Amino acid sequence: DETSTVFTWTAFKTSDKVAVNGSFDALTVTANESDDMFGVLTGATFEIDVKSLNSQDPVRDTKLKNSFFGNMESTEMITGVVNSINESDASIDVTMNGKTVAYNGSVTVEGETVTMEVIMDILDFDASVAMDSLSVVCAEKHTGEDGENKLWSDVSIAVKTTLIKDCPQ
């Protein structure tokens, strides 16, 4: 059920690794038809519209869109594919900044709801220029009590969706 699919992210700032949470509100998933719930998701592709970034802070959102994603190559959309998935693990490819990176993540299943969690490293996408740019425009918010301006490169992502079970009558 594409309308139930939610993509959330958690990035980290300051030396104390303070979490900053958000989502992307425009996500397109193309899945397969299958008799098996993991068959539906294996090979599924996704496109995330970067302009739909939503951290519940319009000032932060503008900085992220302009200074972070705006300093990447061809990143109007983040795209990817689910290479494999089962009841505990998943393998995905993510394309951002003109580079595709493979990640492994964990999976939880509750009834027809599947959640996949992955830790990505922004530097895997050759995005140090984008990170440096964001660090400059967000220096005040990224500086902790120790006086250090810190933006962590690891980002936790979670994708949650509910599968539709369409049984013949």
Side-chain angles (χ1 to χ4, degrees):
D1 178 10
E2 189 171 319
T3 62
S4 77
T5 304
V6 178
F7 182 102
T8 57
W9 52 266
T10 303
F12 303 94
K13 65 181 184 178
T14 78
S15 297
D16 291 332
K17 207 168 187 179
V18 174
V20 177
N21 299 304
S23 64
F24 287 99
D25 296 335
L27 170 69
T28 303
V29 177
T30 304
N32 306 302
E33 288 191 27
S34 176
D35 293 336
D36 173 78
M37 72 187 311
F38 300 112
V40 169
L41 298 172
T42 300
T45 59
F46 57 88
E47 286 187 331
I48 302 163
D49 185 346
V50 170
K51 290 184 215 115
S52 73
L53 181 133
N54 183 356
S55 70
Q56 304 297 313
D57 180 339
V59 173
R60 179 189 300 130
D61 292 351
T62 299
K63 289 178 181 180
L64 284 164
K65 291 173 192 174
N66 295 337
S67 295
F68 184 70
F69 289 110
N71 278 294
M72 290 189 191
E73 175 187 319
S74 303
T75 305
E76 294 81 22
M77 295 284 188
I78 300 169
T79 60
V81 62
V82 178
N83 296 314
S84 64
I85 188 168
N86 61 41
E87 63 279 347
S88 61
D89 304 296
S91 169
I92 63 169
D93 286 347
V94 177
T95 302
M96 181 170 63
N97 199 31
K99 186 168 183 182
T100 301
V101 179
Y103 288 102
N104 294 318
S106 62
V107 174
T108 55
V109 180
E110 294 180 24
E112 305 302 318
T113 300
V114 179
T115 304
M116 178 182 57
E117 296 181 77
V118 174
I119 304 293
M120 295 181 7
D121 189 329
I122 297 302
L123 297 178
D124 290 344
F125 297 94
D126 298 330
S128 59
V129 170
M131 280 191 59
D132 291 346
S133 176
L134 186 61
S135 187
V136 169
V137 299
C138 295
E140 181 182 334
K141 298 284 187 177
H142 290 184
T143 302
E145 291 181 16
D146 61 1
E148 185 179 348
N149 177 359
K150 177 82 173 163
L151 175 61
W152 297 77
S153 65
D154 55 322
V155 177
S156 174
I157 62 169
V159 180
K160 182 177 183 177
T161 193
T162 302
L163 302 175
I164 298 171
K165 195 175 205 177
D166 188 12
C167 300
Q169 299 203 12

